[in-house]
Amino acid sequence: MKIENEESWSLIEASQNPGVNLAWIETDKMGPIVITATPKSETFVVDPQGVLYQARINRYLTVRFPKKATNTPVNCTIKITPFRHENLEDAKRLYHHQVGDLIMSTDYIEIVADGISEFRRPVGVRLPMPEIVEEFDQEDIAVLYKPSSEDAWQIFNDKLTFTKQTVSFDVKALSKYVVALSRPQRKRRLTEAFRIFDTQNRVVTGEILTFIKMEEKLWLLAVEIVQKNDIEKSIKDKENDGFEMVEKVEIVKEEKQVFRKHYKAARKDYSKMQEKPDDPNVNLINNSVFDLELQGDLCVYESNSHYVTNQFKLPYSEIIGNNHRLYEIQPKLKDGVVDIGVNGYDCEATLNILNKSPVNKDDPECIRTFRISIESSRVAKYFYEEPVPDEPEPEPEPVIEIPVEEPIPPPSPVQSPKPEGRFSTPLTESFMRLIKHKRPPIKIYKEPKVLSGRSLRALALEIPQGLTLAVHLDIPDSTMTGIGFDALSLGMGLADVTYKILVHWKRKCVSIKSDGDIQVECLINALHEMDRSDIADIVAERHAVNQELDPACFSPIRVTVDHIN
């Protein structure tokens, strides 16, 4: 508990009834309360002469260190973090494409050796098997390991020795392990499943960047959430697109005045207290939402709904990966119209990034502040209107002399040939004029088979980067934002997002309906631009023979990717 008017957290006593997932606390003070849990752990010493250690927290967990695996005694720690099987069904419902191939898993087992990244001789590790009731194939059992918290999960491809209850293998470097059972011949998909589990509970560090782009009649404000490793790349990309980085203002936190409840209460010695430096990065949690507040001479204008506001939201999602928003800004309103009084002066505004948490929901914390300054010359260009040219005087109407034409004698009537067959009388000129077609023939548009619904579904399964494809297909940002929010609310996978984008592009965003080859060419060019030339070549080949796309036509690509993995 963090008691009111105190700076540090303090431990308090709590009781728990057996079988009830509740903690009972008795206190006469108020403040935020946090319940923490630590994984099961135990520590042992590895001697240079070797050791065979059987863990006490799990009887099937054994670590064998051969002789001379290390030169000096080393402390080793074993930690076991539970894998919540009750959340597996919810994960399959929300992320079926990524997690659907996982059937069962053991707890996370982490073995750490202090000060040693690799042993001189291989170390034998024996891990428990999942609690499997039905019969299974050993080829579908996978041992996954994670060398460090920043690395991805990998499948252990060396020799495995199975028993009824355990699986054993040799390694030179200890790490974090998990043993999992997959659907038949789907073992390689387990790395994606455990990446999803880590993503939902992972906190990464990053930064919130703000850029502005000034044109004569259009001011754009871009706000982007990026991870720490992608900050330099994001700044470079925005500068190449013509954006300028907005200046960040350092936040000065005011010291709260604390009054003693009694005159005899001890006064704190503030001279000995050291001020904690602010964290230069922002903690990013998946599916979190930041509140943005624009103050000053500017406001945000929604061109679709013609709505003006100063407060808006910026969500962060690690799965979608597209965490930037583009806003159109304009001078503030006065009596419902744009304030022309700022014309000729500098426009000053501040953008505050607020972070709401359950503790400070009513009083959100301002984590970033940006100062936006627009020069008076650019403001004048925004309000500049070209003068309307004067209407020219009407010119006098010219006098047209109509020449007198000599009468032309009427042509002699043309006798139509005598028809053969059942028509006994010749067809007259007026009858021929009545039966003649005046309208040009109607050309029926036929959709190419590579753009059918079945073909687009097969193509979406091979392109998880749906939003990147949408950018190369010139789909508006507002449409991508709507599709992204629908995907989050409905729990769609990446393939479903890509399929919705392709269907929307085919129905609305493509204005050329007369020639299907042009639409297919646009799709092929977009795939080349996003470095998926292998898929673009398959689409071109199937279109040349007018055949639909199916999962079987992409099997050469999957075989190549599996070989590389």
Side-chain angles (χ1 to χ4, degrees), residues 382-545:
Y382 183 85
F383 288 102
Y384 176 76
E385 295 182 1
E386 296 182 357
V388 180
D390 298 334
E391 295 183 0
E393 297 181 359
E395 298 179 356
E397 298 181 359
V399 179
I400 303 175
E401 297 181 0
I402 303 175
V404 180
E405 298 180 356
E406 298 180 357
I408 301 175
S412 59
V414 180
Q415 295 182 358
S416 58
K418 185 176 182 181
E420 298 178 358
R422 58 176 181 167
F423 294 100
S424 59
T425 58
L427 299 177
T428 62
E429 183 179 356
S430 61
F431 181 78
M432 294 294 294
R433 186 172 64 253
L434 289 175
I435 64 175
K436 183 179 180 181
H437 293 284
K438 295 182 178 180
R439 293 183 179 179
I442 300 174
K443 185 178 180 180
I444 300 176
Y445 169 74
K446 189 173 182 181
E447 181 185 72
K449 289 189 177 182
V450 294
L451 296 182
S452 64
R454 188 177 303 173
S455 298
L456 295 182
R457 171 64 69 179
L459 180 61
L461 294 175
E462 304 299 326
I463 306 177
Q465 303 89 357
L467 296 176
T468 305
L469 178 61
V471 172
H472 294 288
L473 291 175
D474 295 334
I475 295 179
D477 293 341
S478 58
T479 303
M480 289 191 290
T481 303
I483 294 176
F485 277 113
D486 292 343
L488 288 176
S489 59
L490 300 177
M492 296 182 179
L494 295 179
D496 297 329
V497 175
T498 306
Y499 177 72
K500 290 193 67 177
I501 289 173
L502 289 172
V503 172
H504 180 86
W505 166 77
K506 185 183 76 171
R507 293 180 178 176
K508 297 184 178 181
C509 296
V510 179
S511 60
I512 302 173
K513 290 291 186 181
S514 60
D515 192 357
D517 295 336
I518 299 180
Q519 301 180 36
V520 178
E521 185 178 355
C522 293
L523 178 59
I524 293 173
N525 292 337
L527 292 173
H528 281 296
E529 291 175 359
M530 62 181 298
D531 296 332
R532 293 311 302 265
S533 301
D534 49 351
I535 297 180
D537 296 338
I538 294 177
V539 174
E541 292 175 2
R542 304 291 283 193
H543 178 62
V545 297

Side-chain angles (χ1 to χ4, degrees), residues 161-178:
T161 303
F162 292 94
T163 63
K164 187 176 181 180
Q165 300 290 343
T166 62
V167 56
S168 304
F169 52 91
D170 294 337
V171 292
K172 278 196 172 183
L174 299 175
S175 57
K176 189 175 183 179
Y177 303 98
V178 66

Side-chain angles (χ1 to χ4, degrees), residues 228-255:
K228 186 176 180 180
N229 299 331
D230 300 332
I231 293 178
E232 295 182 0
K233 179 179 180 299
S234 177
I235 295 175
K236 186 177 180 180
D237 293 342
K238 281 293 185 291
E239 290 178 351
N240 293 336
D241 294 339
F243 285 85
E244 300 177 5
M245 195 169 182
V246 180
E247 177 187 2
K248 183 172 66 173
V249 182
E250 294 184 2
I251 302 175
V252 180
K253 297 183 179 180
E254 299 180 357
E255 295 184 358

Side-chain angles (χ1 to χ4, degrees), residues 65-167:
F65 295 88
K67 187 177 180 181
K68 296 183 180 181
T70 176
N71 293 330
T72 58
V74 178
N75 291 330
C76 286
T77 304
I78 299 176
K79 297 180 181 179
I80 298 180
T81 304
F83 179 86
R84 299 183 63 84
H85 293 85
E86 56 270 18
N87 295 341
L88 182 58
E89 295 300 326
D90 294 337
K92 288 183 177 181
R93 179 175 55 85
L94 296 175
Y95 310 100
H96 178 73
H97 182 67
Q98 295 88 352
V99 190
D101 296 321
L102 176 61
I103 298 178
M104 191 170 294
S105 171
T106 62
D107 296 337
Y108 299 100
I109 300 174
E110 184 176 4
I111 308 174
V112 181
D114 296 344
I116 293 183
S117 59
E118 185 173 341
F119 290 91
R120 298 175 59 188
R121 298 181 63 187
V123 177
V125 180
R126 187 181 69 176
L127 301 178
M129 293 276 287
E131 297 179 359
I132 305 171
V133 179
E134 302 178 356
E135 295 183 358
F136 63 92
D137 191 356
Q138 291 184 357
E139 295 295 330
D140 300 328
I141 291 288
V143 176
L144 291 91
Y145 68 98
K146 192 175 185 181
S148 65
S149 59
E150 300 298 331
D151 296 332
W153 285 98
Q154 304 177 29
I155 296 179
F156 189 81
N157 294 321
D158 292 346
K159 181 181 178 181
L160 300 176
T161 303
F162 292 94
T163 63
K164 187 176 181 180
Q165 300 290 343
T166 62
V167 56

